[in-house]
Amino acid sequence: MSTPGRGIPSDGAEAGTGIRLHAPAPGWSLDADVVVVGSGVAGLTAALRCAAGGRRTVVVTKARLDDGSTRWAQGGIAAALGEGDTPEQHLDDTLVAGAGLCDEAAVRLLVTEGPDAVRRLMATGAVFDTSEETGEIELTREGGHHRRRIAHAGGDATGAEISRALVEAVQAAGIETVENALVLDLLQDAQGRTAGVTLHVMGEGQHDGVGAVHAPAVILATGGMGQVFSATTNPSVSTGDGVALALRAGAEVSDLEFVQFHPTVLFLGPEAEGQQPLVSEAVRGEGAYLVDADGVRFMVGQHELAELAPRDIVAKGIMRHMQEQGAQHMFLDARHFGAEMWEQRFPTILAACRAHGIDPVTEPIPVAPAAHYASGGVRTDLQGRTTVRGLYACGEVACTGVHGANRLASNSLLEGLVFAERIAEDIITQRYDSADPVVPVPATGPLQPAAARHEIQRIMTDGAGVLRSAASLSTAAGALEALYATALNDLEAHGKTAEPGVDTWEATNLLCVARVLVAAAERRVETRGCHWREDHPDRDDADWRRHLVVRLSATEKRALVVVPTDSADFPAVEPLNPPSLEQ
């Protein structure tokens, strides 16, 4: 690797921004060595490994233990498990998909440690589909992969099986869990080190239940932020809570402009909002075709892999063809599979389509791109450490450098698995003494009203969706800043803010991540990976083969500080440790 690029210069407020969510003071607390926030593959794997290493571990999750994004994963988990496949080939496919911005060291770690991590997952209890003839794991192929290397379970229910196995293992291990709890803010000591989190356990329509988990190590595994857009494959809990918490704590985030829009999401109409049914890339991996209303396979000739090109290329191909034809969607044709294959290989997708009046056995499936995965997030090193001492991140909330400008299909479950294990190893091998008394920091940031959620989603869908331009991003940035400025003025001039509660905390988190995403997308004046600028349609390696690192400033009215790195390499993660948080 070449010399790392620079980080963000100091403005004297590295230990935290001074911004906290308005919330009642914690009325109860738990003590632990480690608190894991999130219960997907990354969070539960980290919790199991930390507990096995003798660390008192508490898992905090926003819904039920099995109700995160992992459960919705259909396609599978990618690893070089098949005969003739190698980590080097997996690395090559990942680097190509990442469009010049992958951290090669992170990818090499992923693909070399990945196969054994999958085997350990199987030893934990996850059961993958196997061949009736050989008894070996069945492998399929997805976009961007030149080999069949995707292990799956239950046909198209891989995430549900992984979630089941990990939840059962966590329960068997007796790990303490706090369900239906929205994490609020990071607790920090006088030196800016992590001291735990505050959280709200959701009551029966009541604004109560705020407490704290005190711990010198916090692992963020909160998943994505797909709910920042009107239509997404993400569940309703994916409101960017982890990224927003990290920003308020003073951590750096990177690559948030690279939001992957899944090419084939069941089209339910132009006004459809919220979580939309996914039609897995594995359907194309098994031979389904993308066609227009006339039955023309429009991806042929656009890429050597046609329908199995990397997701950004397929999404762009669909959007271009929709624009050319004035259509609202394209079609995925898998009628040639026959009823038996649909029922055995893709039972979940078949049921979802039929529930909406579409039978894939006899008719093509209407599809269109929708927000799916955040390739960027809280910036980490190869041990999952962020720029805040004691704060770790893994899974979709993190930016490890693996995905670059576009995630390769089915690398996400593997990334969560591998980096969760590395985080646990780091925590187990380091000495984490109990933190000093937490320095209370008053809330200074305004809360958004609950109704702002739909306004933010509309702004982002119109201005920062699959198709972006200077004009659309400028309009989006102005509208988001107006929402923020109005709430800030009400707070500073009149001492008023929205009532603390789940809806207002989520809306506030969504606005935070939306502002960062748009600021980075405005700054990146090129098309790369899943960031598509209509006004700058070409990739510009000379000026833009680099990352954008963002943090919140504790000065200048909570401005965003956006700094490009000097090269495609990430700066070293150096946990910030100034003398005092007291102000």
Side-chain angles (χ1 to χ4, degrees), residues 24-88:
W28 54 270
S29 66
L30 300 172
D31 291 323
D33 297 321
V34 185
V35 56
V36 179
V37 187
S39 60
V41 62
L44 295 187
T45 299
L48 285 166
R49 299 295 182 267
C50 286
R55 297 295 183 263
R56 292 177 301 162
T57 304
V58 173
V59 175
V60 174
T61 186
K62 195 172 178 182
R64 298 185 306 275
L65 273 182
D66 64 349
D67 212 19
S69 292
T70 292
R71 182 166 69 90
W72 297 96
Q74 295 174 344
I77 185 166
L81 297 166
E83 183 178 352
D85 198 4
T86 65
E88 198 69 25

Short mmCIF file of all heavy atoms in Angstrom, two decimals, residues 24-88:
data_model
loop_
_atom_site.label_atom_id
_atom_site.label_comp_id
_atom_site.label_asym_id
_atom_site.label_seq_id
_atom_site.Cartn_x
_atom_site.Cartn_y
_atom_site.Cartn_z
N PRO A 24 -34.49 12.37 28.55
CA PRO A 24 -34.46 12.36 30.02
C PRO A 24 -33.16 11.75 30.52
O PRO A 24 -32.52 10.95 29.84
CB PRO A 24 -35.67 11.47 30.39
CG PRO A 24 -36.56 11.50 29.19
CD PRO A 24 -35.65 11.63 28.00
N ALA A 25 -32.76 12.12 31.72
CA ALA A 25 -31.57 11.54 32.33
C ALA A 25 -31.79 10.05 32.56
O ALA A 25 -32.91 9.61 32.85
CB ALA A 25 -31.26 12.24 33.65
N PRO A 26 -30.73 9.23 32.42
CA PRO A 26 -30.89 7.79 32.65
C PRO A 26 -31.42 7.49 34.05
O PRO A 26 -30.90 8.01 35.04
CB PRO A 26 -29.47 7.25 32.47
CG PRO A 26 -28.79 8.25 31.58
CD PRO A 26 -29.38 9.57 31.97
N GLY A 27 -32.44 6.64 34.11
CA GLY A 27 -33.03 6.29 35.39
C GLY A 27 -32.58 4.94 35.91
O GLY A 27 -32.96 4.54 37.01
N TRP A 28 -31.77 4.24 35.13
CA TRP A 28 -31.25 2.94 35.54
C TRP A 28 -29.97 2.69 34.76
O TRP A 28 -29.68 3.38 33.77
CB TRP A 28 -32.27 1.83 35.25
CG TRP A 28 -32.75 1.79 33.84
CD1 TRP A 28 -33.83 2.43 33.30
CD2 TRP A 28 -32.13 1.09 32.74
NE1 TRP A 28 -33.93 2.19 31.96
CE2 TRP A 28 -32.90 1.35 31.59
CE3 TRP A 28 -31.02 0.26 32.62
CZ2 TRP A 28 -32.60 0.83 30.33
CZ3 TRP A 28 -30.70 -0.27 31.38
CH2 TRP A 28 -31.51 0.02 30.25
N SER A 29 -29.19 1.73 35.19
CA SER A 29 -27.94 1.44 34.49
C SER A 29 -27.54 -0.01 34.67
O SER A 29 -27.95 -0.69 35.63
CB SER A 29 -26.82 2.36 34.98
OG SER A 29 -26.50 2.08 36.32
N LEU A 30 -26.73 -0.49 33.73
CA LEU A 30 -26.10 -1.80 33.80
C LEU A 30 -24.60 -1.60 33.65
O LEU A 30 -24.16 -0.64 33.01
CB LEU A 30 -26.59 -2.70 32.65
CG LEU A 30 -28.09 -3.02 32.57
CD1 LEU A 30 -28.37 -3.77 31.26
CD2 LEU A 30 -28.50 -3.87 33.76
N ASP A 31 -23.82 -2.49 34.21
CA ASP A 31 -22.37 -2.46 34.06
C ASP A 31 -21.91 -3.65 33.24
O ASP A 31 -22.43 -4.77 33.37
CB ASP A 31 -21.68 -2.50 35.43
CG ASP A 31 -21.91 -1.22 36.22
OD1 ASP A 31 -21.93 -0.14 35.59
OD2 ASP A 31 -22.06 -1.29 37.45
N ALA A 32 -20.94 -3.41 32.35
CA ALA A 32 -20.43 -4.47 31.50
C ALA A 32 -19.00 -4.15 31.10
O ALA A 32 -18.50 -3.04 31.33
CB ALA A 32 -21.31 -4.63 30.26
N ASP A 33 -18.33 -5.13 30.50
CA ASP A 33 -17.03 -4.88 29.88
C ASP A 33 -17.20 -4.39 28.44
O ASP A 33 -16.41 -3.60 27.95
CB ASP A 33 -16.18 -6.16 29.87
CG ASP A 33 -15.85 -6.66 31.26
OD1 ASP A 33 -15.57 -5.82 32.14
OD2 ASP A 33 -15.88 -7.89 31.47
N VAL A 34 -18.24 -4.93 27.79
CA VAL A 34 -18.50 -4.62 26.39
C VAL A 34 -20.00 -4.47 26.20
O VAL A 34 -20.77 -5.31 26.70
CB VAL A 34 -18.01 -5.75 25.45
CG1 VAL A 34 -18.18 -5.33 23.99
CG2 VAL A 34 -16.58 -6.13 25.75
N VAL A 35 -20.42 -3.45 25.48
CA VAL A 35 -21.81 -3.36 25.06
C VAL A 35 -21.84 -3.40 23.53
O VAL A 35 -21.12 -2.65 22.86
CB VAL A 35 -22.53 -2.11 25.60
CG1 VAL A 35 -21.82 -0.82 25.21
CG2 VAL A 35 -23.97 -2.06 25.09
N VAL A 36 -22.62 -4.34 23.00
CA VAL A 36 -22.78 -4.49 21.56
C VAL A 36 -24.14 -3.91 21.18
O VAL A 36 -25.17 -4.31 21.73
CB VAL A 36 -22.73 -5.98 21.15
CG1 VAL A 36 -22.93 -6.13 19.64
CG2 VAL A 36 -21.40 -6.60 21.58
N VAL A 37 -24.14 -2.98 20.23
CA VAL A 37 -25.38 -2.34 19.81
C VAL A 37 -25.77 -2.90 18.45
O VAL A 37 -25.17 -2.56 17.43
CB VAL A 37 -25.23 -0.81 19.74
CG1 VAL A 37 -26.59 -0.16 19.45
CG2 VAL A 37 -24.65 -0.26 21.04
N GLY A 38 -26.75 -3.79 18.44
CA GLY A 38 -27.19 -4.40 17.20
C GLY A 38 -27.16 -5.91 17.31
O GLY A 38 -26.34 -6.48 18.04
N SER A 39 -28.07 -6.58 16.58
CA SER A 39 -28.19 -8.03 16.72
C SER A 39 -28.25 -8.75 15.38
O SER A 39 -28.91 -9.77 15.23
CB SER A 39 -29.44 -8.38 17.54
OG SER A 39 -30.62 -7.89 16.91
N GLY A 40 -27.54 -8.20 14.39
CA GLY A 40 -27.38 -8.91 13.13
C GLY A 40 -26.18 -9.83 13.20
O GLY A 40 -25.64 -10.12 14.27
N VAL A 41 -25.70 -10.27 12.05
CA VAL A 41 -24.57 -11.20 12.01
C VAL A 41 -23.35 -10.60 12.68
O VAL A 41 -22.61 -11.30 13.41
CB VAL A 41 -24.27 -11.63 10.57
CG1 VAL A 41 -23.85 -10.45 9.70
CG2 VAL A 41 -23.20 -12.71 10.53
N ALA A 42 -23.11 -9.29 12.48
CA ALA A 42 -21.93 -8.66 13.06
C ALA A 42 -22.05 -8.55 14.58
O ALA A 42 -21.15 -8.93 15.32
CB ALA A 42 -21.72 -7.28 12.44
N GLY A 43 -23.17 -8.03 15.05
CA GLY A 43 -23.34 -7.80 16.48
C GLY A 43 -23.34 -9.09 17.28
O GLY A 43 -22.66 -9.20 18.32
N LEU A 44 -24.09 -10.09 16.84
CA LEU A 44 -24.18 -11.32 17.61
C LEU A 44 -22.88 -12.13 17.55
O LEU A 44 -22.50 -12.78 18.53
CB LEU A 44 -25.35 -12.17 17.13
CG LEU A 44 -26.74 -11.55 17.36
CD1 LEU A 44 -27.84 -12.54 17.00
CD2 LEU A 44 -26.92 -11.05 18.79
N THR A 45 -22.19 -12.09 16.41
CA THR A 45 -20.89 -12.76 16.34
C THR A 45 -19.91 -12.11 17.30
O THR A 45 -19.18 -12.80 18.03
CB THR A 45 -20.34 -12.73 14.91
OG1 THR A 45 -21.24 -13.42 14.03
CG2 THR A 45 -18.97 -13.36 14.82
N ALA A 46 -19.87 -10.78 17.32
CA ALA A 46 -18.98 -10.08 18.25
C ALA A 46 -19.33 -10.40 19.69
O ALA A 46 -18.44 -10.63 20.53
CB ALA A 46 -19.06 -8.57 18.00
N ALA A 47 -20.61 -10.43 20.00
CA ALA A 47 -21.04 -10.71 21.37
C ALA A 47 -20.62 -12.12 21.80
O ALA A 47 -20.12 -12.33 22.91
CB ALA A 47 -22.55 -10.55 21.49
N LEU A 48 -20.83 -13.09 20.93
CA LEU A 48 -20.46 -14.47 21.25
C LEU A 48 -18.96 -14.60 21.49
O LEU A 48 -18.51 -15.26 22.44
CB LEU A 48 -20.89 -15.41 20.13
CG LEU A 48 -22.39 -15.72 20.04
CD1 LEU A 48 -22.72 -16.37 18.72
CD2 LEU A 48 -22.80 -16.63 21.21
N ARG A 49 -18.16 -13.97 20.64
CA ARG A 49 -16.71 -14.08 20.78
C ARG A 49 -16.21 -13.34 22.02
O ARG A 49 -15.32 -13.82 22.72
CB ARG A 49 -16.01 -13.54 19.53
CG ARG A 49 -16.36 -14.26 18.24
CD ARG A 49 -15.89 -15.71 18.23
NE ARG A 49 -16.21 -16.34 16.96
CZ ARG A 49 -17.31 -17.03 16.70
NH1 ARG A 49 -18.22 -17.17 17.66
NH2 ARG A 49 -17.53 -17.58 15.53
N CYS A 50 -16.78 -12.17 22.31
CA CYS A 50 -16.37 -11.42 23.51
C CYS A 50 -16.73 -12.21 24.78
O CYS A 50 -15.92 -12.31 25.71
CB CYS A 50 -17.03 -10.05 23.54
SG CYS A 50 -16.33 -8.85 22.38
N ALA A 51 -17.94 -12.75 24.81
CA ALA A 51 -18.37 -13.53 25.98
C ALA A 51 -17.51 -14.77 26.15
O ALA A 51 -17.13 -15.13 27.28
CB ALA A 51 -19.83 -13.89 25.85
N ALA A 52 -17.18 -15.44 25.03
CA ALA A 52 -16.34 -16.62 25.11
C ALA A 52 -14.94 -16.29 25.62
O ALA A 52 -14.27 -17.13 26.22
CB ALA A 52 -16.24 -17.29 23.74
N GLY A 53 -14.51 -15.04 25.42
CA GLY A 53 -13.22 -14.59 25.90
C GLY A 53 -13.24 -14.07 27.32
O GLY A 53 -12.25 -13.50 27.79
N GLY A 54 -14.38 -14.23 27.99
CA GLY A 54 -14.46 -13.85 29.40
C GLY A 54 -14.88 -12.43 29.66
O GLY A 54 -14.80 -11.97 30.82
N ARG A 55 -15.36 -11.72 28.67
CA ARG A 55 -15.78 -10.34 28.86
C ARG A 55 -17.29 -10.29 29.15
O ARG A 55 -18.08 -10.93 28.45
CB ARG A 55 -15.48 -9.50 27.62
CG ARG A 55 -14.00 -9.37 27.29
CD ARG A 55 -13.26 -8.61 28.38
NE ARG A 55 -11.85 -8.42 28.05
CZ ARG A 55 -10.87 -9.20 28.48
NH1 ARG A 55 -11.16 -10.25 29.24
NH2 ARG A 55 -9.61 -8.95 28.14
N ARG A 56 -17.64 -9.54 30.20
CA ARG A 56 -19.07 -9.35 30.50
C ARG A 56 -19.67 -8.55 29.35
O ARG A 56 -19.31 -7.41 29.11
CB ARG A 56 -19.23 -8.56 31.80
CG ARG A 56 -18.82 -9.29 33.06
CD ARG A 56 -18.97 -8.37 34.27
NE ARG A 56 -18.15 -7.16 34.09
CZ ARG A 56 -18.31 -6.03 34.78
NH1 ARG A 56 -19.28 -5.91 35.65
NH2 ARG A 56 -17.51 -4.99 34.56
N THR A 57 -20.61 -9.17 28.66
CA THR A 57 -21.13 -8.60 27.41
C THR A 57 -22.63 -8.38 27.52
O THR A 57 -23.37 -9.26 27.97
CB THR A 57 -20.82 -9.55 26.23
OG1 THR A 57 -19.41 -9.78 26.18
CG2 THR A 57 -21.29 -8.94 24.91
N VAL A 58 -23.07 -7.21 27.07
CA VAL A 58 -24.49 -6.89 27.00
C VAL A 58 -24.82 -6.53 25.55
O VAL A 58 -24.11 -5.74 24.92
CB VAL A 58 -24.86 -5.71 27.92
CG1 VAL A 58 -26.31 -5.27 27.69
CG2 VAL A 58 -24.65 -6.08 29.39
N VAL A 59 -25.87 -7.13 25.01
CA VAL A 59 -26.35 -6.82 23.66
C VAL A 59 -27.58 -5.93 23.77
O VAL A 59 -28.54 -6.26 24.45
CB VAL A 59 -26.70 -8.10 22.88
CG1 VAL A 59 -27.31 -7.75 21.53
CG2 VAL A 59 -25.48 -8.97 22.69
N VAL A 60 -27.53 -4.80 23.08
CA VAL A 60 -28.66 -3.87 23.00
C VAL A 60 -29.16 -3.89 21.57
O VAL A 60 -28.37 -3.72 20.63
CB VAL A 60 -28.22 -2.44 23.39
CG1 VAL A 60 -29.37 -1.46 23.16
CG2 VAL A 60 -27.76 -2.40 24.83
N THR A 61 -30.44 -4.11 21.36
CA THR A 61 -30.97 -4.15 20.00
C THR A 61 -32.29 -3.40 19.92
O THR A 61 -33.07 -3.35 20.86
CB THR A 61 -31.13 -5.60 19.52
OG1 THR A 61 -31.51 -5.60 18.14
CG2 THR A 61 -32.18 -6.35 20.34
N LYS A 62 -32.51 -2.80 18.76
CA LYS A 62 -33.62 -1.85 18.60
C LYS A 62 -34.98 -2.54 18.54
O LYS A 62 -35.99 -1.93 18.89
CB LYS A 62 -33.38 -1.03 17.32
CG LYS A 62 -34.24 0.22 17.21
CD LYS A 62 -33.77 1.03 16.02
CE LYS A 62 -34.61 2.28 15.82
NZ LYS A 62 -34.17 3.04 14.63
N ALA A 63 -35.01 -3.76 18.08
CA ALA A 63 -36.27 -4.51 18.04
C ALA A 63 -36.05 -5.80 18.82
O ALA A 63 -35.52 -5.79 19.92
CB ALA A 63 -36.70 -4.75 16.60
N ARG A 64 -36.46 -6.93 18.24
CA ARG A 64 -36.15 -8.22 18.84
C ARG A 64 -34.78 -8.68 18.36
O ARG A 64 -34.25 -8.16 17.38
CB ARG A 64 -37.22 -9.26 18.48
CG ARG A 64 -38.61 -8.90 18.99
CD ARG A 64 -39.58 -10.04 18.69
NE ARG A 64 -39.57 -10.42 17.29
CZ ARG A 64 -40.28 -9.83 16.34
NH1 ARG A 64 -41.06 -8.82 16.65
NH2 ARG A 64 -40.22 -10.26 15.09
N LEU A 65 -34.23 -9.66 19.03
CA LEU A 65 -32.90 -10.14 18.67
C LEU A 65 -32.81 -10.56 17.20
O LEU A 65 -31.78 -10.39 16.55
CB LEU A 65 -32.50 -11.32 19.56
CG LEU A 65 -31.82 -11.02 20.90
CD1 LEU A 65 -31.47 -12.31 21.60
CD2 LEU A 65 -30.58 -10.15 20.72
N ASP A 66 -33.89 -11.14 16.67
CA ASP A 66 -33.84 -11.67 15.30
C ASP A 66 -34.50 -10.74 14.29
O ASP A 66 -34.90 -11.18 13.21
CB ASP A 66 -34.51 -13.04 15.25
CG ASP A 66 -36.01 -12.97 15.58
OD1 ASP A 66 -36.46 -11.91 16.05
OD2 ASP A 66 -36.70 -13.97 15.35
N ASP A 67 -34.56 -9.46 14.59
CA ASP A 67 -35.36 -8.56 13.75
C ASP A 67 -34.54 -7.50 13.03
O ASP A 67 -35.06 -6.46 12.65
CB ASP A 67 -36.43 -7.86 14.62
CG ASP A 67 -37.70 -7.58 13.83
OD1 ASP A 67 -37.89 -8.22 12.78
OD2 ASP A 67 -38.48 -6.72 14.27
N GLY A 68 -33.24 -7.73 12.85
CA GLY A 68 -32.41 -6.76 12.15
C GLY A 68 -32.34 -7.03 10.66
O GLY A 68 -33.07 -7.86 10.11
N SER A 69 -31.41 -6.35 9.99
CA SER A 69 -31.29 -6.47 8.53
C SER A 69 -30.82 -7.84 8.10
O SER A 69 -31.17 -8.30 7.01
CB SER A 69 -30.33 -5.39 8.01
OG SER A 69 -30.89 -4.11 8.16
N THR A 70 -30.01 -8.52 8.92
CA THR A 70 -29.50 -9.83 8.53
C THR A 70 -30.63 -10.78 8.16
O THR A 70 -30.52 -11.55 7.19
CB THR A 70 -28.66 -10.43 9.68
OG1 THR A 70 -27.46 -9.66 9.82
CG2 THR A 70 -28.28 -11.88 9.38
N ARG A 71 -31.70 -10.72 8.91
CA ARG A 71 -32.83 -11.64 8.67
C ARG A 71 -33.39 -11.52 7.26
O ARG A 71 -33.96 -12.48 6.72
CB ARG A 71 -33.92 -11.36 9.71
CG ARG A 71 -35.13 -12.27 9.59
CD ARG A 71 -36.00 -12.16 10.84
NE ARG A 71 -36.67 -10.88 10.96
CZ ARG A 71 -37.88 -10.62 10.46
NH1 ARG A 71 -38.53 -11.54 9.78
NH2 ARG A 71 -38.43 -9.44 10.64
N TRP A 72 -33.22 -10.35 6.64
CA TRP A 72 -33.82 -10.12 5.33
C TRP A 72 -32.89 -10.52 4.18
O TRP A 72 -33.29 -10.48 3.02
CB TRP A 72 -34.21 -8.65 5.18
CG TRP A 72 -35.25 -8.24 6.18
CD1 TRP A 72 -35.04 -7.63 7.39
CD2 TRP A 72 -36.66 -8.45 6.09
NE1 TRP A 72 -36.23 -7.44 8.04
CE2 TRP A 72 -37.25 -7.94 7.28
CE3 TRP A 72 -37.50 -9.03 5.13
CZ2 TRP A 72 -38.62 -7.98 7.51
CZ3 TRP A 72 -38.86 -9.07 5.37
CH2 TRP A 72 -39.41 -8.55 6.55
N ALA A 73 -31.65 -10.89 4.50
CA ALA A 73 -30.70 -11.24 3.45
C ALA A 73 -31.14 -12.52 2.75
O ALA A 73 -31.33 -13.55 3.38
CB ALA A 73 -29.30 -11.42 4.05
N GLN A 74 -31.31 -12.44 1.44
CA GLN A 74 -31.80 -13.59 0.68
C GLN A 74 -30.68 -14.38 0.03
O GLN A 74 -30.60 -15.60 0.16
CB GLN A 74 -32.77 -13.11 -0.42
CG GLN A 74 -34.05 -12.48 0.10
CD GLN A 74 -34.89 -11.92 -1.04
OE1 GLN A 74 -34.42 -11.74 -2.16
NE2 GLN A 74 -36.14 -11.61 -0.76
N GLY A 75 -29.81 -13.67 -0.69
CA GLY A 75 -28.86 -14.32 -1.57
C GLY A 75 -27.92 -15.28 -0.88
O GLY A 75 -27.89 -16.48 -1.17
N GLY A 76 -27.12 -14.79 0.05
CA GLY A 76 -26.20 -15.67 0.75
C GLY A 76 -24.96 -14.96 1.23
O GLY A 76 -24.93 -13.75 1.38
N ILE A 77 -23.92 -15.75 1.46
CA ILE A 77 -22.66 -15.24 1.98
C ILE A 77 -21.54 -15.71 1.05
O ILE A 77 -21.46 -16.89 0.71
CB ILE A 77 -22.44 -15.70 3.44
CG1 ILE A 77 -21.19 -15.07 4.02
CG2 ILE A 77 -22.43 -17.21 3.57
CD1 ILE A 77 -21.11 -15.23 5.54
N ALA A 78 -20.71 -14.77 0.61
CA ALA A 78 -19.69 -15.07 -0.38
C ALA A 78 -18.39 -15.49 0.30
O ALA A 78 -17.92 -14.83 1.22
CB ALA A 78 -19.43 -13.85 -1.26
N ALA A 79 -17.79 -16.58 -0.17
CA ALA A 79 -16.48 -17.03 0.31
C ALA A 79 -15.93 -18.06 -0.66
O ALA A 79 -16.69 -18.77 -1.32
CB ALA A 79 -16.58 -17.62 1.72
N ALA A 80 -14.61 -18.12 -0.73
CA ALA A 80 -13.96 -19.05 -1.65
C ALA A 80 -13.97 -20.45 -1.05
O ALA A 80 -12.97 -20.93 -0.50
CB ALA A 80 -12.54 -18.59 -1.94
N LEU A 81 -15.11 -21.11 -1.16
CA LEU A 81 -15.31 -22.43 -0.58
C LEU A 81 -15.35 -23.53 -1.63
O LEU A 81 -15.22 -24.71 -1.30
CB LEU A 81 -16.64 -22.46 0.21
CG LEU A 81 -16.74 -21.54 1.42
CD1 LEU A 81 -18.18 -21.42 1.88
CD2 LEU A 81 -15.86 -22.04 2.56
N GLY A 82 -15.55 -23.17 -2.89
CA GLY A 82 -15.73 -24.16 -3.94
C GLY A 82 -14.43 -24.65 -4.54
O GLY A 82 -13.39 -23.98 -4.47
N GLU A 83 -14.50 -25.80 -5.17
CA GLU A 83 -13.34 -26.39 -5.83
C GLU A 83 -12.86 -25.47 -6.95
O GLU A 83 -13.63 -25.01 -7.79
CB GLU A 83 -13.69 -27.76 -6.40
CG GLU A 83 -12.51 -28.48 -7.04
CD GLU A 83 -12.88 -29.86 -7.55
OE1 GLU A 83 -14.03 -30.31 -7.26
OE2 GLU A 83 -12.05 -30.47 -8.23
N GLY A 84 -11.56 -25.15 -6.94
CA GLY A 84 -10.97 -24.28 -7.96
C GLY A 84 -11.03 -22.81 -7.65
O GLY A 84 -10.34 -22.01 -8.28
N ASP A 85 -11.86 -22.43 -6.69
CA ASP A 85 -11.95 -21.03 -6.30
C ASP A 85 -10.83 -20.71 -5.30
O ASP A 85 -10.40 -21.58 -4.54
CB ASP A 85 -13.31 -20.73 -5.67
CG ASP A 85 -13.63 -19.24 -5.65
OD1 ASP A 85 -12.83 -18.44 -6.19
OD2 ASP A 85 -14.69 -18.87 -5.09
N THR A 86 -10.38 -19.48 -5.30
CA THR A 86 -9.32 -19.07 -4.39
C THR A 86 -9.63 -17.70 -3.80
O THR A 86 -10.36 -16.90 -4.42
CB THR A 86 -7.97 -18.97 -5.11
OG1 THR A 86 -8.04 -17.92 -6.09
CG2 THR A 86 -7.59 -20.28 -5.77
N PRO A 87 -9.07 -17.37 -2.63
CA PRO A 87 -9.22 -16.02 -2.09
C PRO A 87 -8.73 -14.95 -3.06
O PRO A 87 -9.31 -13.86 -3.12
CB PRO A 87 -8.36 -16.06 -0.83
CG PRO A 87 -8.41 -17.48 -0.38
CD PRO A 87 -8.40 -18.26 -1.67
N GLU A 88 -7.71 -15.27 -3.84
CA GLU A 88 -7.18 -14.28 -4.79
C GLU A 88 -8.22 -13.93 -5.86
O GLU A 88 -8.36 -12.76 -6.24
CB GLU A 88 -5.91 -14.81 -5.45
CG GLU A 88 -5.05 -13.75 -6.10
CD GLU A 88 -4.38 -12.81 -5.09
OE1 GLU A 88 -4.17 -13.22 -3.93
OE2 GLU A 88 -4.09 -11.66 -5.48
#
